[in-house]
Amino acid sequence: MQTYRSDILVIGGGLAGIVSALELIDHGCDVLLLDRDEEAAFGGLARESFGGLFFVGSREQRRSGIADSPAQALADWLSFAEFGPDDQMPRLWAERYIERCIPDVYEFVRRHGISFLPVPLWVERGDSRRGNSVPRFHMVWGTGRELATRLIAALLGHANARRVIRAFRHRVDRLVSEDGRVCGCAGLREFDDVPFEARAEHVIVATGGINGDIQRVKTNWHRDWNRPPDVILNGSHRYADGRVHDAVVVAGGTLTHLDNMWNYASGVHHWRPRKPLHGLSLVPSRSALWLNYRGERIAPPLISGFDTRALVTAICAQERPYSWQLLNRRIALKELAVSGAEFNPSIREKSWIGVLRDTLLGNRWLVREMTENCEDVLIAGSLPELVGKMNARQGDTSVDLACLTDAVARYDAAVDAPDFAGDLQLRRISELRQYRGDRLRLSKSQKILDHGAMPLIAIREFIISRKSLGGIKTDLQCRVLGADDGVIPGLFAVGEAAGFGGGGMHGLRGLEGTFLGGCILTGRMAGRAITGRPNV
Ligand SMILES: Cc1cc2nc3c(=O)[nH]c(=O)nc-3n(C[C@H](O)[C@H](O)[C@H](O)COP(=O)(O)OP(=O)(O)OC[C@H]3O[C@@H](n4cnc5c(N)ncnc54)[C@H](O)[C@@H]3O)c2cc1C
């Protein structure tokens, strides 16, 4: 048995764990940071992420002429969250995020050398419920990889760096309690199968969500989404399995809202998978036709950028809970994108020339990668040929050529019609194009059947699991709460493990960018609570 001892134990080396450790060594604490993964993966999901952060009142917003205020942001958040009467802690965390996102998140990352693209993006505008009433999604120049790399460098290069010991390939299985106080954890060193036990004054759980375990995702499937689809792709961390969530329950803590998840409607199979059912989440092309498994246009028409959860709900309501998007090469060049650092090399490598080239000439690299490698992407020179390929991929004859031809003809005719013949998708595209952050990445009046825009492309899209909006219930100091909201002494939870704050600060929906932001904020709050500093 290997034993360790430290002042503070941080379980999980993702963004939330790293920020907690930084905050603690800043104040002279000794920290032991354990992670199940390899050292090369230090940084967790943040290093794979897109790197969008939600801020209210940033310099980038002001320079872009965007008027925003905490009151307006809170109204948007509460509308999107639909908190229930018992969601006191999540609501307090929502308020805390909006109040503190500039001093504790924005200024913090800027101090660590992070900068943002000049124009914030306008995501999650809201559909049946109001979402972001103004653009607030700030893309890190260098993506989430830059965010993770900079903060790791800050930790390793810190004047107190010797105070943090990192141990990888350590799987934590349970927490250790003594005299009613959590004082450590135990598990297995997976590289040599030696059991270990670690002891500390305080334990911070930063192990991410549960959405990397597809069976667990299915077990906690939200009632709004019918039965879980047979195929759900995995867009989360391979170790986000809730093992330490369960250990928290054994130690007396509470889990809340595990059925609140931020999944996406447009997952495709990764062609170089690093985990079972590894999926990539597309940013769905707005000018594509969104179809069901028969090739019928889903009604009312689906379009991304308004309410991600509503898209998931609509797909799960279909007879077969997956979909097709039909577009052409010109649309793909302009609009096709994949969320995350891996498939955004121009931003990741901070190449302005690359960004300019992708914007002006289209993202040829990505379109080639996907059309050549992804099993869910099909190309053809005509609709009959494409329908043949779609049916072959589905393994039946469900896609009906006549029906698809009719849907395309109606849509293409609406492109030229006055007021788009009332077509909701085309109206929304025109609404989106009013904002310059969207205009650059949106085709204008683009028909599907257009000889100059060929070939046709069909993309089969599955539900992809991503973020756990629920998790370990905490108070505003990130202390884990048990029965009757009593504090579990010695135990803290941060980041996605804690539903980004309080066990679910987003409620039902996220305004986006609040996930990375929530990891930073909770990590800082936990560090301050442990070192006894007020949350100012
Ligand atoms: C492709 C992609 C794009 C994204 N884009 C954005 C974005 O633009 N904006 C945004 O806000 N969010 C985004 N996110 C979400 C965001 O990246 C995550 O929510 C966030 O990074 C979670 O951080 P975390 O530290 O809480 O958990 P994680 O990053 O999951 O880290 C948890 C760590 O705990 C370790 N661990 C787990 N179990 C154990 C155990 N039993 N024992 C020991 N260690 C364990 C894991 O190995 C891991 O290193 C994106 C996510 C992905 C995948």
Side-chain angles (χ1 to χ4, degrees), residues 399-459:
V399 183
D400 183 64
L401 176 60
C403 158
L404 186 57
T405 308
D406 181 56
V408 172
R410 282 170 191 269
Y411 179 80
D412 285 354
V415 168
D416 292 331
D419 194 28
F420 306 118
D423 189 287
L424 188 65
Q425 179 176 351
L426 287 165
R427 278 186 176 168
R428 286 201 149 167
I429 292 173
S430 126
E431 187 189 323
L432 290 166
R433 281 182 54 85
Q434 304 298 313
Y435 180 57
R436 69 176 167 136
D438 279 311
R439 196 160 46 242
L440 289 173
R441 300 173 304 125
L442 253 179
S443 317
K444 188 181 178 195
S445 304
Q446 179 57 56
K447 296 180 181 180
I448 303 289
L449 281 183
D450 171 348
H451 287 301
M454 296 301 250
L456 293 169
I457 301 177
I459 309 179

Side-chain angles (χ1 to χ4, degrees), residues 80-82 222 224 260-262 309 469 506-510:
F80 231 34
E82 293 192 62
H222 199 283
D224 290 353
N260 286 354
M261 301 175 193
W262 200 239
R309 189 175 193 272
L469 298 188
H506 296 94
L508 276 182
R509 299 180 192 79

Side-chain angles (χ1 to χ4, degrees), residues 10-23 33 35 41-49 51-53 97 105 108-109 112 114 140 144-152 155 204-208 237 494-496 500 513-524:
V10 177
I11 310 173
L15 182 63
I18 289 169
V19 172
S20 306
L22 256 176
E23 194 73 26
L33 196 155
D35 199 290
F42 190 39
L45 287 179
R47 64 183 309 131
E48 293 176 28
S49 73
L53 285 153
Y97 185 92
V105 183
F108 171 80
V109 297
H112 288 292
I114 294 294
V140 170
R145 183 164 308 172
E146 175 80 357
L147 181 66
T149 310
R150 290 261 177 185
L151 294 178
I152 291 170
L155 188 69
I204 301 181
V205 174
T207 43
H237 197 286
V494 294
E496 196 167 332
F500 304 95
T514 46
F515 313 110
L516 293 168
C519 291
I520 294 172
L521 187 67
T522 51
R524 300 203 70 201

Side-chain angles (χ1 to χ4, degrees), residues 11-17 34-37 41 43-46 48-53 137 139 170-173 206-209 235-237 239-241 243-244 339-341 466-467 494-497 500 512-517 519:
I11 310 173
L15 182 63
L34 299 177
D35 199 290
R36 186 173 178 189
D37 220 330
L45 287 179
E48 293 176 28
S49 73
F50 220 173
L53 285 153
F137 191 75
M139 274 294 301
H170 281 60
R171 186 190 74 212
V172 173
D173 295 326
T207 43
S236 178
H237 197 286
Y239 295 137
D241 59 3
R243 182 183 291 259
V244 181
S339 171
R466 182 75 103 213
K467 293 139 194 160
V494 294
E496 196 167 332
F500 304 95
E512 285 283 3
T514 46
F515 313 110
L516 293 168
C519 291

Side-chain angles (χ1 to χ4, degrees), residues 60 67 88 100 107 139 143 162 183 206 219 221 259 266 286 319 328 350 358 363 365 375 403 439 450-451 477 497 510:
E60 289 73 12
Q88 207 190 345
R100 303 299 308 176
E107 299 298 355
M139 274 294 301
T143 71
R162 62 184 169 75
C183 59
T219 306
W221 201 240
D259 56 344
S266 305
R286 271 86 171 255
E319 194 180 331
N328 57 41
K350 300 201 271 189
D358 297 346
N363 198 338
W365 170 80
E375 66 179 71
C403 158
R439 196 160 46 242
D450 171 348
H451 287 301
Q477 296 174 54

Side-chain angles (χ1 to χ4, degrees), residues 190-233:
E190 292 192 303
F191 57 90
D192 60 4
D193 279 349
V194 170
F196 72 89
E197 192 172 295
R199 294 287 182 130
E201 288 290 305
H202 302 279
V203 176
I204 301 181
V205 174
T207 43
I210 61 161
N211 279 44
D213 178 341
I214 298 301
Q215 194 43 53
R216 198 156 183 166
V217 167
K218 290 184 175 179
T219 306
N220 289 287
W221 201 240
H222 199 283
R223 63 177 186 284
D224 290 353
W225 295 334
N226 298 336
R227 272 187 327 109
D230 290 340
V231 178
I232 298 179
L233 298 179

